[in-house]
């Protein structure tokens, strides 16, 4: 039988097998998406705030019911998600809806992308499932995907862009590269740290310039980049809307210069490069990688890197796919080490995610020459992922709310304030949680401020007085008296409901020592 005679008989069968395999892959991907969305929804932090950065998460949750401006660079895509949720007016708590939309669902998408990447590189659906389970159950990933933070969405963009680049590098179809650029451009509206992926994109272009530096491709990419950047026009629109009820850093409406400084985060400039002054940032990154799966993630990553390195001679499509994923992870390492934020661990997700995915993919690719070994290794990793997901679920669901009954707690405090419309100075996390209730009209009338804004607000009126929560009262009074020598201040402890987790003090300042002659509450000091 000649080759010409056999071709019509074999190709239809191969096409059917590929169609079935593709359908199975899609079904598994959708199943994993649904599983992780339900898993993270079940494990959501039970209220305002969270364990990573209670102030930022509570502030993002406020977008579920009121349009506000958060810290720079402004997050226009998150603003848009908040607008959608407010328009839908879902029958759930606004904080819960916002957390699911900006963290749990993107986390589920990221885990689904992990499956698609690993399955494509290893040609093993079982290894793809293992990659999804190990990423989704990693410590930082599980915490971030159950609190209102921007990094699960950042990772969803990172892994989606990575998957499309892997497809392009394997098939050489320009459409995949253009699609990767489109996803990448959309990510500008979430977090500008995505700029760290640009050098990798330039490397891909340099290696395939004959295919990609064509007028049609270049024009398409430029249009997509412009559309991605245009998301900040929506943010500019928000700054001029009277419905915007609060702005943390930006005057409303801003000048063009103020707006540009806001979206570039210049007020965080003291953190630029500060991570290089010590080894703290790199040490914290190593802790994040080790604690993702205690006793497992470090050996797993090391094994993946070693197998990738010793397999470089093969340089097949799978090896190139693994190289791409590791390249994505390494792209974000300089940012993590360079940017010295106090909550630096929150920035580690775009490094941890691709590293775990790349390591699992490398192990699966290397073991692919022995199908039995590959299958057995995949089943072992799946078992570890299931076990870790169960352990994380137990810990996540055991978390307790940080801010409970705030309106009821503040009511008796405001009633004891020494002046009308008192200043209330409080830590950042508590202030953002109070803002959530304040914009719903649930808190007593007062001027709530964070400590670094309290001194200025304290003296903007003739009567200088209010409440300090929890214990920085003496420091605030020293600031006021140092900067305004004509004022003399005193403070006293306030009565609070039983079980309140923080102390509170009233304070009153008067000119020329007038407060010394006035009778003070019991406990005056």
């Amino acid at each position: 039988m000649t080759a010409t005679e056999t071709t019509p008989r074999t190709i239809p069968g191969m096409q059917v097998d590929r169609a079935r395999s593709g359908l199975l892959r899609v079904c598994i991907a959708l199943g994993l998406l649904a599983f992780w969305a339900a898993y993270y929804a079940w494990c959501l932090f039970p209220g305002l705030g969270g364990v990573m950065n209670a102030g930022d998460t509570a502030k993002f949750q406020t977008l579920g019911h009121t349009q506000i401006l958060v810290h720079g660079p402004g997050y226009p895509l998150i603003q848009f998600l908040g607008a959608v949720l407010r328009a839908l007016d879902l029958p759930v708590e606004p904080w819960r809806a916002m957390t699911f939309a900006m963290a749990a669902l993107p986390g589920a998408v990221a885990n689904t992308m992990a499956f698609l990447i690993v399955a494509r590189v290893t040609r093993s659906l079982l290894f793809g499932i293992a990659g999804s389970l190990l990423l989704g159950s990693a410590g930082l990933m599980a915490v971030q995907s159950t609190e209102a933070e921007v990094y699960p969405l950042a990772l969803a963009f990172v892994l989606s862009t990575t998957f499309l680049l892997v497809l392009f590098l394997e098939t050489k179809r320009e459409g995949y590269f253009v699609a990767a650029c489109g996803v990448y451009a959309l990510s500008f509206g979430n977090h500008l740290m995505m700029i760290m992926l640009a050098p990798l994109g330039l490397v891909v272009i340099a290696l395939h310039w004959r295919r990609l530096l064509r007028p049609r491709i270049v024009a398409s990419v430029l249009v997509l980049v412009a559309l991605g950047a245009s998301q900040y026009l929506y943010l500019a629109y928000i700054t001029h809307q009277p419905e915007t009820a609060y702005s943390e850093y930006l005057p409303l409406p801003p000048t063009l210069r103020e707006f540009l400084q806001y979206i570039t985060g210049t007020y965080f400039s003291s953190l630029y490069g500060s991570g290089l002054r010590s080894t703290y940032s790199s040490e914290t990154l190593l802790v994040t990688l080790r604690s993702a799966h205690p006793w497992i993630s470090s050996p797993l990553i090391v094994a993946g890197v070693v197998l990738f390195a010793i397999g470089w001679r093969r340089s097949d499509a799978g090896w190139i796919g693994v190289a791409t994923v590791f390249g994505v992870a390494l792209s974000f390492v300089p940012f993590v080490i360079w940017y010295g934020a106090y909550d630096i661990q929150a920035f580690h997700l775009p490094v941890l995610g691709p590293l775990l995915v790349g390591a699992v993919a490398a192990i699966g690719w290397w073991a692919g020459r022995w199908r039995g070994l590959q299958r057995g290794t995949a089943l072992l990793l799946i078992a570890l992922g299931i076990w870790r997901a169960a352990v994380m679920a137990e810990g996540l669901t055991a978390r307790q709310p940080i801010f409970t009954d705030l309106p009821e707690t503040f009511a008796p405090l405001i009633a004891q304030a020494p002046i009308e419309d008192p200043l209330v100075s409080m830590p950042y996390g508590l202030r953002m949680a109070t803002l959530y209730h304040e914009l719903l009209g649930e808190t007593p009338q007062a001027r709530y401020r964070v400590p670094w804004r309290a001194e200025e607000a304290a003296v903007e009126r003739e009567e200088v007085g209010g409440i300090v929560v929890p214990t920085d009262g003496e420091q605030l009074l020293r600031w006021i008296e140092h900067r305004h020598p004509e004022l003399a201040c005193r403070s006293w402890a306030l009565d609070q409901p039983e079980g309140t987790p923080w102390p509170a003090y009233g304070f009153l300042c008067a000119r020329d020592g007038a407060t010394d002659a006035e009778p003070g509450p019991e406990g005056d000091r």
Side-chain angles (χ1 to χ4, degrees), residues 1-40:
M1 186 177 293
T2 66
T4 304
E5 293 172 332
T6 60
T7 300
R9 296 180 182 178
T10 57
I11 289 181
M14 293 172 60
Q15 291 176 337
V16 170
D17 289 342
R18 289 178 180 176
R20 289 176 178 173
S21 177
L23 179 61
L24 180 58
R25 184 181 292 108
V26 170
C27 290
I28 294 175
L30 293 176
L32 287 170
L33 178 65
F35 166 76
W36 285 115
Y39 176 89
Y40 290 143

Side-chain angles (χ1 to χ4, degrees), residues 225 293 296 308 321 462 506:
V225 170
H293 298 278
I296 298 173
F308 165 74
E462 185 65 26

Side-chain angles (χ1 to χ4, degrees), residues 24 55 70 80 92 94 106 154 163 264 283 304 358 411 422 497 507:
L24 180 58
V70 297
F80 179 73
V92 297
F163 177 58
T264 54
E283 290 171 358
F507 75 92

Side-chain angles (χ1 to χ4, degrees), residues 56 71 75 102 106 141 144 149-156 190-191 193 335 339 343 346-350:
D56 283 357
H71 54 275
Y75 309 99
M102 69 177 292
M141 179 66 177
Q144 289 278 283
E149 262 292 3
V150 299
Y151 300 103
L153 182 55
L155 183 59
N190 179 54
H191 205 298
M193 69 185 296
F335 176 83
Y339 188 64
D343 56 347
F347 296 101
H348 294 171
L349 207 54

Side-chain angles (χ1 to χ4, degrees), residues 136-165:
S137 62
L140 181 62
M141 179 66 177
V143 171
Q144 289 278 283
S145 296
T146 55
E147 300 180 3
E149 262 292 3
V150 299
Y151 300 103
L153 182 55
L155 183 59
F157 281 123
V158 168
L159 293 183
S160 298
T161 303
T162 303
F163 177 58
L164 291 167
L165 287 178

